[in-house]
Amino acid sequence: MHNESTAFRLRHLTCLLALPVMLALVGCQGVSSAGKQTSGSGGGGAGTGQLAVKPPTMSFGNVAVGSNSVQQGALTAGSSDITVTSAAWNGQGYSLSGITFPVTVPAGQNVPFTVTFAPQAAGSAPGNIAFDSNATNSPTSETLSGSGTQQSTHSVALTWDPSTSQVIGYNVYRRIGSSGSYTRINASVNATTSYTDASVQSGQTYDYVTTSIDSSNVESPYSNEATAAIP
């Protein structure tokens, strides 16, 4: 975890606020890697008595843990019918669907299937599917690659000095980037002099201002602005 703290001074008409901004980053990202297994012609073109799997390599890239990515593949027969009796796959998070065995692939035609990658942990996840058949190049293999990524959790922690006037609480406003209008992000008047914004996203820059609320529900003008850049 990497924390950064930057101090800001927030000025109201009725109070002086100090707003330190802290960024919290949790998580890691894996790097994609491919494992390959071939036998005979593998995923190449289908000749007489051969079976081809297309694409021969299926790359899923980075997929967040807890989500999934789906891709389509196909088995193609050469100049003669091919009977595919089973498939075996390996690799963390991969599954095969959309096809039932045994299945006959007519000559010159194809039978589709679906591969799903649903990583359960962060990191590289090489894999392989081997289709067993009566083809001369059986088993026919397809290489799988992908990486599970752990989504990072970011938050901006805001704190300030209490107002020197009698107030019942504070409101916190935020905008994305340096343009646009501010939007209040606290659901109700904040009775304390701190607030944590846990809804920020990576790569965004946020501006924050606060206001104070007196007992007559009169709201002060915006404080001076504080900026937080989320890595």
Side-chain angles (χ1 to χ4, degrees), residues 82-192:
I82 299 294
T83 299
V84 184
T85 54
S86 65
W89 61 94
N90 59 66
Q92 181 267 328
Y94 296 105
S95 61
L96 177 68
S97 62
I99 187 170
T100 302
F101 301 104
V103 61
T104 297
V105 185
Q109 298 184 34
N110 62 74
V111 171
F113 61 87
T114 299
V115 179
T116 300
F117 177 46
Q120 301 303 307
S124 174
N128 178 273
I129 303 176
F131 294 91
D132 287 315
S133 68
N134 62 348
T136 58
N137 62 328
S138 178
T140 308
S141 298
E142 179 176 55
T143 299
L144 308 174
S145 68
S147 280
T149 60
Q150 186 65 54
Q151 292 182 332
S152 298
T153 300
H154 304 273
S155 65
V156 176
L158 312 172
T159 62
W160 55 91
D161 293 333
S163 171
T164 57
S165 302
Q166 292 295 321
V167 298
I168 62 172
Y170 306 88
N171 285 331
V172 181
Y173 293 83
R174 184 189 76 180
R175 69 180 179 183
I176 301 175
S178 58
S179 61
S181 58
Y182 281 101
T183 301
R184 177 176 157 178
I185 58 175
N186 54 312
S188 58
V189 174
N190 200 61
T192 66

